[in-house]
Amino acid sequence: MRRHTPVTRITNGQSVWRVAAVGIAALASLCVLPGTLGAQAPAAPPSKGAKLVPIPIQLPKPMFEGTPQNLAVPNVQKPLGRPRDPFLAPAGVTNVAKGKKVTSSDTEPVIGEIEQVTDGDKKGADGSFVELGPAVQHVTIDLGAAHEVFAVLFWHYHKSPRVYLDVVVQLADDADFKQNVRTLFNNDTDDTASLGAGKDMNYVETAEGKLVDAKGSRARYVRLYSRGNNANELNHYVEVEVFGRPAK
Ligand SMILES: [Ca+2]
Ligand SMILES: [Ca+2]
């Protein structure tokens, strides 16, 4: 039942668009005046001529190979078994999070420093991650100004295969996440973090990181939540990248 819901929704959406398109075409044919036909027919979709190119992702060296088994976590996404498809965004989109200010719910990390979240070091080895305390913790990146955000790419830990729990990724206009909060990803299906129950699946951390589509949303702040992982109660970040460009 649950699996069928999105399909139904898409089908409805398509049929709505089809009806709308037929309606618009009918209206257009009624409104065309002699002499104007074909002069300015807007044939192209409203893409504004934006050329889409793969975002410039640079992956760290993998620390393990193969598909992990028996992680004892429910609802885990099946690994793709091949590299992720390129993620397309307008040309000129870069990682605008690099070197940006990061704050955290845990102001005194167990290991490492909060700055490591955006320092550009994505290695999986010890020394390249910050370790936050147990329970629900979050990190917030201040992009410094409003940006159009196309993707958020993050690595909690990739020295060994792990599943981080109750992962939530949000955008907002303010540092306190009260204004214009948008949730891009949420696999906290039972609402442990009190941010609303999510429908996304658990996933295994790898050197590819987890990429979340942000659809060009305008935001200054990016926040990521988690609540420990399948190996221990602690929360880790190797790096968070935010692919975007300054908002106009
Ligand atoms: Ca780092
Ligand atoms: Ca939960």
Side-chain angles (χ1 to χ4, degrees):
M1 184 61 197
R2 246 178 86 204
R3 296 187 56 176
H4 288 234
T5 311
V7 177
T8 310
R9 204 176 295 142
I10 288 164
T11 307
N12 287 345
Q14 282 176 341
S15 60
V16 166
W17 278 111
R18 212 170 290 134
V19 170
V22 170
I24 290 164
L27 272 175
S29 66
L30 286 173
C31 294
V32 168
L33 297 171
T36 62
L37 183 61
Q40 294 179 342
S47 66
K48 296 178 183 173
K51 189 182 176 228
L52 299 181
V53 298
I55 57 173
I57 295 174
Q58 291 184 315
L59 296 180
K61 191 169 147 253
M63 302 290 284
F64 59 89
E65 289 182 356
T67 304
Q69 307 287 335
N70 304 322
L71 287 171
V73 178
N75 195 31
V76 177
Q77 194 172 37
K78 191 166 174 263
L80 206 52
R82 58 175 171 79
R84 178 175 53 220
D85 290 335
F87 184 88
L88 302 180
V93 164
T94 59
N95 172 24
V96 293
K98 188 164 178 192
K100 295 288 168 66
K101 189 185 167 204
V102 186
T103 53
S104 175
S105 52
D106 186 348
T107 54
E108 294 183 3
V110 184
I111 297 171
E113 306 294 335
I114 299 293
E115 291 74 27
Q116 288 178 271
V117 174
T118 57
D119 68 352
D121 175 6
K122 295 174 262 187
K123 289 194 291 292
D126 289 343
S128 291
F129 60 80
V130 57
E131 182 173 80
L132 309 176
V136 176
Q137 301 288 353
H138 61 75
V139 295
T140 302
I141 298 162
D142 179 359
L143 299 176
H147 282 71
E148 280 183 287
V149 179
F150 291 89
V152 180
L153 175 60
F154 51 99
W155 296 258
H156 284 110
Y157 185 93
H158 65 93
K159 189 180 172 189
S160 58
R162 277 188 187 174
V163 177
Y164 281 75
L165 305 170
D166 296 339
V167 174
V168 182
V169 182
Q170 292 184 329
L171 303 178
D173 291 350
D174 66 319
D176 294 327
F177 277 70
K178 294 199 165 85
Q179 293 166 27
N180 197 17
V181 179
R182 286 141 291 164
T183 300
L184 303 179
F185 182 90
N186 182 347
N187 66 17
D188 180 13
T189 54
D190 56 357
D191 199 17
T192 313
S194 301
L195 298 164
K199 291 183 178 172
D200 291 303
M201 294 183 78
N202 289 315
Y203 63 91
V204 180
E205 296 278 335
T206 69
E208 273 204 316
K210 179 67 176 174
L211 190 150
V212 170
D213 190 350
K215 299 181 165 62
S217 304
R218 184 187 167 102
R220 173 169 170 174
Y221 297 90
V222 182
R223 179 174 284 182
L224 296 94
Y225 293 83
S226 61
R227 182 187 56 84
N229 62 84
N230 69 311
N232 58 58
E233 294 184 323
L234 302 169
N235 296 278
H236 305 89
Y237 288 90
V238 167
E239 189 79 5
V240 177
E241 298 188 330
V242 178
F243 286 88
R245 60 185 178 185
K248 287 172 194 137

